[in-house]
Amino acid sequence: MKAFLQLLLFTIVFSLPLKAEELLLREGSLVNFAPPVINKDYFLFEYGFVVRKEIKKWKYGYNAFVNASLWEDWKNRSDNLRAGALGFKAGVMFPLLKKPLFYRVAGGFAKSVLHKNPILGKDEQSISKKTLFLFEAGLLYKFDPTFVTATYQVTNVKFFTRHIILSVGVNY
Amino acid sequence: MIYTSSVFAEEKEVVSGEQTGKFISSEWRLFNRTIDSFFSNQKYLLKENKSTIFVSTAVYKSEGSKIENDFDLQMRFDLPKTTKRLKLVIEKEQNEIKKALTDENVARNKKNRITSKYTTAYEDRYTAGADFLLPKLKAFSSLIKFGIRLDMPINPFLKLNMQKEYNTKYVEIDLNQTFLLYRQAGFQEISQLTFNRKWNETFHTEQVNSLVWTDERDIFELRHSLTLYQHLGEERGLSYAVGANAKFSPTYYYDGYDASVSYRQLLYGGWLYGTFTVGADFPKSENFKNDKFVQLRLEAFFH
């Protein structure tokens, strides 16, 4: 985890502002997906919208996004329970190093539950429910129209013990 | 409750595109209906079909109980790439059943009392969904709404709403039929019959009869209410409301009455409103003894 944060810090510090329109994600839809084969015992699906923005003073273009997010996590659980959440995330993606590499930072709000079947189960069988706030930071590398992401996430809910999440996505 | 704009003669001349928007926006009930009917002779806010943010906070105190606070944030986004018939909406949706069975001026702050009768599936929840207006038929207007509550396990819902107005010289009659299907709570239905009468530039009345049924409780419940709205001047109004709630099982009986008086005023700019309400409930469970309450509510609209 420390190595990941150091890499992130290094990348930010040595990044150069640039106006590289072609590097930015195109305005439109954004789908982000992480099946359990990518992260063990974890599932994620996100759908949202992305727009292009610019810091005019520096002529620095970046992307802003908002998405709906659904995820499920059952890492290190021996009680046959899973943690699930449904909510929204909003954030920005800054291009770095004159490559289609982005620093991605986001905040989010969700409703979470601890349940045997957190997505399709019955409400009255919920073990615990919590309102969740999250913060995440990470990197996104664009292949156009697809991309891959590596994210470090923290939340206020103890059901979720995982911090590093890998995912793939498409921008169209 | 029911969309009442055609009480006002000017509104009948809107073009069909605006009709579409007006009908969709009529679903934004605590937004436009209370404001417009409260100020008695105001026109409907057609612009509200654009992206809108509504923030409200209220302090509610009933006799012998603690002060209750309520905060609500609602957002309605007019997103690109959608037609006039399709609207994407994120809002804190008030429980439809509770809304139909409660004095609307204080419904949001009665959550503790009302939900004690229901399950958590009936609490107000943030929802994200799409409203799709069906082509207007001669017989009625209809709207299909599909959405999902911001909750886990997931609770998607489907709602079909049909409205029909009859305008006579003396009174406007509105029929409103809503069918709801929630994955968690099952099927619900709400039938409403409303009579609106504008007496003069100062007064108008609204009489509403609501019949509801839910899969979960499996009984019919009924509410009658009568509200007199008094226009006091520019953006100031009073309302006097009485209501009665009945159940059909095990036999037809009234299980509560309520009465309230509210004063509403525009406080600042064109967007900050304040409402002060005093009233009392008379529940059968307490031998119809009065249970008095006061409520102070601030509402802000941005669009």
Side-chain angles (χ1 to χ4, degrees), chain A residues 19 53-62:
Chain A
K19 187 190 182 184
K53 298 279 184 187
E54 188 187 21
I55 301 172
K56 286 184 180 164
K57 190 178 173 185
W58 299 338
K59 294 184 177 176
Y60 181 85
Y62 65 97

Side-chain angles (χ1 to χ4, degrees), chain B residues 61-99:
Chain B
K61 172 82 172 80
S62 63
E63 212 170 20
S65 64
K66 287 182 180 174
I67 292 175
E68 293 174 34
N69 295 302
D70 176 63
F71 176 78
D72 190 17
L73 169 66
Q74 301 189 35
M75 297 163 286
R76 189 181 186 96
F77 296 112
D78 191 9
L79 294 175
K81 296 182 182 176
T82 57
T83 67
K84 278 200 165 186
R85 292 190 178 278
L86 179 68
K87 294 293 156 204
L88 299 180
V89 181
I90 296 170
E91 61 185 331
K92 187 177 181 181
E93 188 181 62
Q94 201 183 1
N95 167 12
E96 300 261 1
I97 302 293
K98 183 171 82 173
K99 196 158 52 180

Side-chain angles (χ1 to χ4, degrees), chain B residues 2-29:
Chain B
I2 297 262
Y3 146 62
T4 59
S5 67
S6 57
V7 170
F8 315 112
E10 304 92 319
E11 289 299 295
K12 289 175 184 171
E13 294 171 10
V14 292
V15 296
S16 60
E18 286 175 327
Q19 282 282 13
T20 305
K22 201 171 66 160
F23 179 78
I24 291 176
S25 61
S26 73
E27 290 298 299
W28 193 238
R29 290 174 180 143

Side-chain angles (χ1 to χ4, degrees), chain A residues 110-169:
Chain A
K111 291 286 183 179
S112 67
V113 68
L114 190 62
H115 196 289
K116 279 190 176 176
N117 185 355
I119 294 179
L120 296 173
K122 294 294 280 182
D123 196 45
E124 58 268 23
Q125 292 168 351
S126 302
I127 305 298
S128 178
K129 284 188 159 197
K130 298 278 181 193
T131 297
L132 180 147
F133 296 94
L134 67 84
F135 173 79
E136 58 186 34
L139 297 174
L140 180 149
Y141 193 88
K142 186 181 76 156
F143 295 102
D144 204 9
T146 58
F147 59 82
V148 294
T149 70
T151 304
Y152 183 80
Q153 183 187 78
V154 286
T155 74
N156 64 327
V157 176
K158 290 180 182 172
F159 311 153
F160 298 95
T161 52
R162 183 188 306 266
H163 292 295
I164 294 176
I165 299 151
L166 306 175
S167 67
V168 294

Side-chain angles (χ1 to χ4, degrees), chain A:
Chain A
M1 189 185 79
K2 277 184 181 174
F4 180 81
L5 287 174
Q6 282 170 353
L7 173 67
L8 203 62
L9 193 64
F10 175 85
T11 314
I12 295 163
V13 169
F14 290 96
S15 66
L16 298 170
L18 73 171
K19 187 190 182 184
E21 285 282 317
E22 69 278 7
L23 285 183
L24 296 179
L25 278 80
R26 72 185 67 176
E27 292 202 334
S29 300
L30 204 62
V31 176
N32 199 18
F33 183 53
V37 291
I38 297 181
N39 306 281
K40 190 169 178 277
D41 301 336
Y42 184 84
F43 166 80
L44 167 77
F45 180 77
E46 292 179 336
Y47 176 80
F49 303 99
V50 61
V51 292
R52 288 180 171 181
K53 298 279 184 187
E54 188 187 21
I55 301 172
K56 286 184 180 164
K57 190 178 173 185
W58 299 338
K59 294 184 177 176
Y60 181 85
Y62 65 97
N63 287 114
F65 69 94
V66 59
N67 64 34
S69 187
L70 174 71
W71 72 99
E72 200 178 337
D73 190 359
W74 59 101
K75 181 188 171 189
N76 297 336
R77 293 210 77 96
S78 55
D79 50 9
N80 203 23
L81 295 174
R82 295 175 176 210
L86 174 68
F88 299 93
K89 290 179 190 174
V92 288
M93 291 179 285
F94 299 108
L96 304 172
L97 302 172
K98 293 182 180 175
K99 291 184 185 302
L101 178 69
F102 293 78
Y103 169 58
R104 179 182 175 279
V105 59
F109 169 82
K111 291 286 183 179
S112 67
V113 68
L114 190 62
H115 196 289
K116 279 190 176 176
N117 185 355
I119 294 179
L120 296 173
K122 294 294 280 182
D123 196 45
E124 58 268 23
Q125 292 168 351
S126 302
I127 305 298
S128 178
K129 284 188 159 197
K130 298 278 181 193
T131 297
L132 180 147
F133 296 94
L134 67 84
F135 173 79
E136 58 186 34
L139 297 174
L140 180 149
Y141 193 88
K142 186 181 76 156
F143 295 102
D144 204 9
T146 58
F147 59 82
V148 294
T149 70
T151 304
Y152 183 80
Q153 183 187 78
V154 286
T155 74
N156 64 327
V157 176
K158 290 180 182 172
F159 311 153
F160 298 95
T161 52
R162 183 188 306 266
H163 292 295
I164 294 176
I165 299 151
L166 306 175
S167 67
V168 294
V170 60
N171 167 224
Y172 60 95

Side-chain angles (χ1 to χ4, degrees), chain B residues 8 37 59 78 97-98 110 126 142 164 170 177 189 222 231 247 295:
Chain B
F8 315 112
S37 54
V59 181
D78 191 9
I97 302 293
K98 183 171 82 173
K110 291 206 169 177
Y126 280 96
S142 51
K164 176 66 182 168
Y170 298 102
Q177 178 63 49
E189 85 88 19
L222 184 68
H231 180 64
K247 286 187 170 61
Q295 178 186 269

